Amino acid sequence: MVTTAHSAASAGTGTAATRSRVPAVRHLGPNWYASVMGTAIIANAGATLPYQFTGLRTACTVIWALSLVMLAVVLTARAAHWLHHRDQARAHLLDPTVAPFYGCLSMALLAVGAGTLVVGKDWIGTGAAVAVDTVLFTAGTFIGLAAAVAIPYLMVVRHRIAADQASPVWLLPVVAPMVSAAVGPLLIPHLPAGQAQQTMLYACFAMFGLSLLATLVMLPVIFARLVTAGPLPLALTPTLFLVLGPLGQSTTATNKFADFAPGVVPAPLDEGFLAFAVLYGVPVMGFALMWLALAAAMVVRARRRGMGFAMTWWAFTFPVGTCVTGAEGLGKHTDLAAFDWLATGLFTLLATAWAVAFVHTLRGVITGRLLAAPR
């Protein structure tokens, strides 16, 4: 009995000691990667806006550099979380409200990598930018594909989920391969001509299909939950904007295919990619605008009922940014000024949302409120 008591005391002391090490990161979950994604998309979307002005590209490059620093900080903090708080990390994986956010790691790597090639090359050179993007794209793609399988697997075999718990957060792991599909074509000109370029293009097209079909499986369940169980809890209402992610990102992906297919695949396949970009992108962008209006109305309702700031506010950034890049691509391939205006208007909304989320997050980190145990 003395031995047992001593063992229990030792175990308790060990647990307490483990929790006391790096306590600030104990409750830092994978959702923090959303802040990296939301920052990187500012640079990626702003650099290709149809209406450019003096200083915009420099500002985008500064934002990209900030996103790179944020990625390094969050990666380090999350590594410390797994090293010193494995119990909490395992609990996150088994929590159906937290586990889907593991898809954000992939998207953060991919978004920063794409920004490196789009604007970062202005500061570090094209060769270094290609090398950085290659590493981040490769890591982000493998992690995204793993999350797209592993998280739904956990949802089926380990998580216990009621019908009224369906959430737009479920889209995060399955939309990660769509981000790979959208940013992968940027590397095509830097690959050897022939098989390598064609393989990259078709691999991205395959990831487009993988993510799109998985999204089409998830969306009806999410909408059914809304109409049968009512509005989401106030703090989760911003996650409705996550639905824009696969819509805007898939539109962006099809337009990137159209940009890089000529010279990579033989005619008439290259023209087929262009036709597909327009025939797919226009109706999907229409649905995205409808969902944007619905989600915005729900956010206004929640705000009037006392919705305060939470990390879910970062859902106002990256998904909207994908709609910006989608509209930019459609404007380029249709020559319609309406899409250029849409991209500019959405970018204004994106920049405003990012500024609000960034300031509140910085304040929450300084005060420690966002790093405290959830209530």
Side-chain angles (χ1 to χ4, degrees), residues 31 33-39 41 101 104 167-169 172 232 235-246 291-292 295-296 299 307 309-323 349-350 353-354 357-358 361:
N31 58 315
Y33 288 113
S35 63
V36 180
M37 297 158 50
T39 302
I41 197 67
F101 283 100
C104 292
S167 165
V169 171
L172 290 173
L232 295 173
L236 293 179
T237 303
T239 63
L240 289 170
F241 275 68
L242 294 177
V243 175
L244 298 175
W291 190 271
L292 175 61
V299 167
M307 181 188 74
F309 175 77
M311 287 299 288
T312 53
W313 281 35
W314 282 99
F316 298 141
T317 57
F318 189 81
V320 175
T322 67
C323 292
L349 175 63
L350 167 64
W354 175 82
F358 184 81
T361 301

Side-chain angles (χ1 to χ4, degrees), residues 225-274:
R225 179 256 176 262
L226 291 175
V227 297
T228 57
L232 295 173
L234 296 184
L236 293 179
T237 303
T239 63
L240 289 170
F241 275 68
L242 294 177
V243 175
L244 298 175
L247 303 175
Q249 200 66 275
S250 62
T251 302
T252 301
T254 58
N255 281 280
K256 291 300 181 185
F257 300 154
D259 286 339
F260 291 95
V264 174
V265 296
L269 288 178
D270 56 346
E271 298 176 358
F273 276 111
L274 175 58

Side-chain angles (χ1 to χ4, degrees), residues 51 282 327-328 330-342:
Y51 303 116
V282 172
E328 289 171 354
L330 288 175
K332 175 182 178 181
H333 292 129
T334 63
D335 289 326
L336 287 178
F339 285 116
D340 295 339
W341 300 336
L342 176 61

Side-chain angles (χ1 to χ4, degrees), residues 15-237:
T15 302
T18 299
R19 293 186 179 185
S20 67
R21 288 180 292 178
V22 202
V25 302
R26 177 165 178 78
H27 302 288
L28 191 143
N31 58 315
W32 280 79
Y33 288 113
S35 63
V36 180
M37 297 158 50
T39 302
I41 197 67
I42 293 280
N44 298 350
T48 52
L49 275 177
Y51 303 116
Q52 295 285 312
F53 56 85
T54 303
L56 176 59
R57 187 171 181 86
T58 300
C60 289
T61 310
V62 171
I63 293 293
W64 160 77
L66 175 61
S67 72
L68 184 62
V69 171
M70 291 173 65
L71 177 62
V73 171
V74 177
L75 281 172
T76 302
R78 286 289 298 160
H81 173 86
W82 269 96
L83 180 63
H84 298 295
H85 303 286
R86 290 193 183 93
D87 61 322
Q88 187 72 1
R90 287 192 293 267
H92 282 168
L93 275 174
L94 297 179
D95 186 341
T97 64
V98 179
F101 283 100
Y102 272 90
C104 292
L105 167 57
S106 165
M107 292 185 279
L109 295 170
L110 293 165
V112 174
T116 306
L117 204 52
V118 172
V119 294
K121 64 183 179 182
D122 294 352
W123 286 2
I124 66 175
T126 300
V130 171
V132 171
D133 187 31
T134 299
V135 172
L136 294 180
F137 173 79
T138 302
T141 297
F142 278 110
I143 292 171
L145 291 173
V149 175
I151 301 305
Y153 174 83
L154 287 175
M155 292 172 67
V156 173
V157 303
R158 297 297 299 273
H159 299 165
R160 294 297 175 263
I161 305 172
D164 62 354
Q165 290 180 297
S167 165
V169 171
W170 291 4
L171 294 171
L172 290 173
V174 299
V175 78
M178 187 67 80
V179 181
S180 292
V183 303
L186 296 174
L187 286 168
I188 288 178
H190 306 285
L191 294 172
Q195 288 286 317
Q197 290 185 342
Q198 290 181 8
T199 300
M200 173 64 86
L201 180 64
Y202 284 125
C204 290
F205 197 29
M207 289 187 286
F208 164 86
L210 177 161
S211 182
L212 177 63
L213 294 177
T215 298
L216 293 178
V217 170
M218 294 285 192
L219 270 182
V221 178
I222 294 169
F223 188 71
R225 179 256 176 262
L226 291 175
V227 297
T228 57
L232 295 173
L234 296 184
L236 293 179
T237 303

